Amino acid sequence: MNFSRSELLDYYYRDLYPELESLEKERKSLLRQLAFAALIVACAAFLIIQKTSAFGDLTLQISIGALILLGIVATWLTKGYKATFKQRVISRLIAKIAPSLRYDPAGRIPEVLFRMSALFPERFDRYEGSDLIEGEIDGVPIQMSHLRVAKESTDSRGRRHERTIFSGTFVVTEYHKHFKYTTKVVPDVAEKYFGVLGEWVQSQTSSKLVRMDSPAFEKVFKVFSDDPIEAHYLLTPNIMERLVQMKKRAKAPIFLSFRL
């Protein structure tokens, strides 16, 4: 359903604004509780250090423990507010704009669909997500959610590290054209940092690199496909132009995968 700017403004002031006013009061009350909790934790840590005559590493450990405790308290206090905001504002806004879509704050794109995209084939250990939106737009099925995918590793000293592989909005939908092969569109990182050398490296490291006809598109994306003809069939000049514009608006990396 399409809304004009005036209709959206009317809906905002009539239905959402009262909710936002109420939530703003809750937010300020929450900030006061957090400030009070921080004061209590800081005072408790100071008294412990004074009583135990702590110094050096022990002082550092007590300080770190106080920060961890404060983080736990902050997470506990803000969790309820975030859930309330999503339920009272985000879910109602989505239902108003697109009644065919369903919103699940705790839902996420199934892991199998993330793997099937083959955009990030690297092994990962952590798969988290939230804010699932699914349904149909103009008869086309669509799913989207926030995802964070990470890999854990251990260094030579036994310390654990976590590296984020993907963090952002992941969208799964159907394409209106028929195709048989896999085509991927990825950010042109190599050429951005290495210029002509980067382009040469890409061409040498993958026989599936496909040259496209749009210079503007080629500046920000690279296409890899099992079938170059099908890649040109899928990525029409209009699609490439829209992807370039989307990249400018998003100001973030964009990846696409056409797979059966």
Side-chain angles (χ1 to χ4, degrees), residues 104-109 129-132 145-146:
D104 180 5
R108 67 186 182 192
I109 292 288
S130 61
D131 299 314
L132 174 67
S145 77
H146 175 76

Side-chain angles (χ1 to χ4, degrees), residues 112-129:
V112 64
L113 293 181
F114 179 83
R115 291 184 182 275
M116 285 176 61
S117 74
L119 286 169
F120 307 94
E122 187 176 0
R123 181 188 65 82
F124 55 84
D125 305 289
R126 187 180 298 275
Y127 185 84
E128 303 170 332

Side-chain angles (χ1 to χ4, degrees), residues 67-170:
L67 290 174
I68 293 174
L69 178 60
L70 183 59
I72 294 173
V73 172
T75 301
W76 178 73
L77 287 174
T78 56
K79 185 176 181 179
Y81 176 81
K82 291 179 181 178
T84 300
F85 182 87
K86 291 179 178 181
Q87 189 64 37
R88 289 164 57 179
V89 177
I90 303 299
S91 60
R92 291 178 61 182
L93 186 60
I94 292 173
K96 181 67 176 179
I97 295 175
S100 60
L101 296 180
R102 299 175 297 278
Y103 174 59
D104 180 5
R108 67 186 182 192
I109 292 288
E111 184 177 328
V112 64
L113 293 181
F114 179 83
R115 291 184 182 275
M116 285 176 61
S117 74
L119 286 169
F120 307 94
E122 187 176 0
R123 181 188 65 82
F124 55 84
D125 305 289
R126 187 180 298 275
Y127 185 84
E128 303 170 332
S130 61
D131 299 314
L132 174 67
I133 299 173
E134 58 183 346
E136 293 186 352
I137 297 179
D138 294 331
V140 179
I142 187 171
Q143 288 179 293
M144 66 181 77
S145 77
H146 175 76
L147 290 181
R148 181 178 178 275
V149 183
K151 179 179 181 179
E152 296 179 349
S153 61
T154 305
D155 62 20
S156 58
R157 297 184 179 181
R159 296 175 299 188
R160 298 184 66 82
H161 301 274
E162 187 175 273
R163 179 172 60 84
T164 299
I165 295 174
F166 174 81
S167 180
T169 301
F170 196 84

Side-chain angles (χ1 to χ4, degrees), residues 11-72:
Y11 176 69
Y12 169 78
Y13 284 111
R14 183 183 67 250
D15 297 295
L16 292 184
Y17 188 72
E19 291 286 357
L20 290 172
E21 278 192 316
S22 175
L23 286 168
E24 178 62 13
K25 292 179 181 178
E26 293 182 26
R27 187 186 70 85
K28 290 180 177 179
S29 174
L30 183 61
L31 288 176
R32 290 193 292 269
Q33 294 178 54
L34 286 173
F36 181 73
L39 178 63
I40 294 298
V41 171
C43 289
F46 177 76
L47 290 174
I48 292 173
I49 292 173
Q50 290 293 318
K51 288 287 186 180
T52 58
S53 299
F55 59 91
D57 291 342
L58 184 56
T59 300
L60 179 61
Q61 292 173 8
I62 294 173
S63 300
I64 293 175
L67 290 174
I68 293 174
L69 178 60
L70 183 59
I72 294 173

Side-chain angles (χ1 to χ4, degrees), residues 177-198:
K177 292 186 175 184
H178 296 288
F179 57 93
K180 297 190 301 181
Y181 302 97
T182 297
T183 296
K184 300 178 188 179
V185 181
V186 300
D188 186 13
V189 177
E191 190 167 351
K192 176 181 178 182
Y193 289 102
F194 301 109
V196 176
L197 175 60

